[in-house]
Amino acid sequence: MIDISIRELKNKTELPYNLLFLADDSKDAVEDYINRGTCYGAYIGQTIVGVYVLLKTRPFTVELVNIAVKKEYQNKGIGKKMVLDAINRAKIGNFKVLDVGTGNCGIHQLALYQKCGFRITHVDRDFFKRHFDEKIIENGIECLDMIRMRIEL
Ligand code: COA
């Protein structure tokens, strides 16, 4: 098992933009998230290998956005550790609900979130068609709908 430490990234200059863009192609969306949310970095020693952002959306509700693990470190359990860390921080912060959204084509992401306790609440149909000009295909599946998931804390 890889040993990682996760800490808040308080200084904008230490934000790993290449990683943040791995989870979201939209520069504007990433800028908006990091300005309104709190960023956390996962480290192996001094090397940053993962990132996620927690964004307050409504009273007692926070959303996990922009989670990403460096390509060469994926599939080693780091993503799951970061999701569990996000759940824990949301609980400690006295939030009642943690939301997350992912594309219908994101098989890995859908597995990861459900393994961490998230349940599907609804489907935002044609979300990706509405917001992106280019077709997104992952795992041979066209990304059309946003699967909205939630965990009650
Ligand atoms: N079926 C069943 N389980 C699957 C699966 C599949 N096809 N693919 C992955 N999983 C499971 C793994 O088995 C693991 O569960 P386990 O520990 O209980 O066995 C779980 O998913 C998480 O895997 P993990 O290794 O922790 O994930 P990761 O470190 O690769 O991080 C992402 C996951 C999504 C953050 C990473 O792949 C990534 O950065 N992707 C690009 C950016 C992105 O898409 N971000 C999400 C935006 S919504």
Side-chain angles (χ1 to χ4, degrees):
M1 223 0 141
I2 292 186
D3 204 18
I4 57 163
S5 59
I6 301 174
R7 65 171 173 86
E8 187 181 336
L9 302 174
K10 291 193 172 149
N11 193 336
K12 249 194 142 185
T13 57
E14 59 178 349
L15 293 179
Y17 281 92
N18 51 342
L19 266 178
L20 290 161
F21 291 132
L22 203 59
D24 198 324
D25 290 337
S26 160
K27 253 195 156 119
D28 291 344
V30 170
E31 272 301 326
D32 182 53
Y33 290 151
I34 58 181
N35 285 329
R36 292 194 295 128
T38 309
C39 291
Y40 298 91
Y43 287 80
I44 297 177
Q46 301 299 312
T47 308
I48 190 157
V49 294
V51 70
Y52 74 83
V53 179
L54 281 181
L55 189 68
K56 284 184 207 169
T57 51
R58 287 182 299 284
F60 306 110
T61 305
V62 70
E63 182 160 345
L64 172 61
V65 292
N66 255 166
I67 181 164
V69 173
K70 256 189 194 163
K71 278 222 163 73
E72 60 271 37
Y73 289 95
Q74 288 178 9
N75 299 307
K76 299 180 193 303
I78 295 171
K80 194 171 178 186
K81 280 188 178 166
M82 290 202 298
V83 174
L84 296 176
D85 184 78
I87 293 171
N88 200 34
R89 285 182 200 266
K91 272 185 193 160
I92 291 168
N94 274 326
F95 290 96
K96 302 277 178 262
V97 167
L98 177 62
D99 286 326
V100 73
T102 193
N104 60 289
C105 57
I107 291 170
H108 186 165
Q109 293 84 339
L110 288 166
L112 163 64
Y113 299 136
Q114 289 181 84
K115 283 182 170 181
C116 291
F118 284 84
R119 299 275 307 274
I120 294 172
T121 52
H122 61 284
V123 177
D124 189 349
R125 279 177 69 90
D126 288 324
F127 174 90
F128 292 93
K129 248 183 161 174
R130 269 185 273 121
H131 293 283
F132 295 89
D133 295 330
E134 282 181 26
K135 261 191 188 180
I136 305 167
I137 298 184
E138 252 182 63
N139 301 305
I141 304 166
E142 186 176 354
C143 199
L144 296 168
D145 307 319
M146 168 80 85
I147 311 296
R148 299 292 313 171
M149 306 180 91
R150 165 169 292 187
I151 186 164
E152 313 267 345
L153 303 165

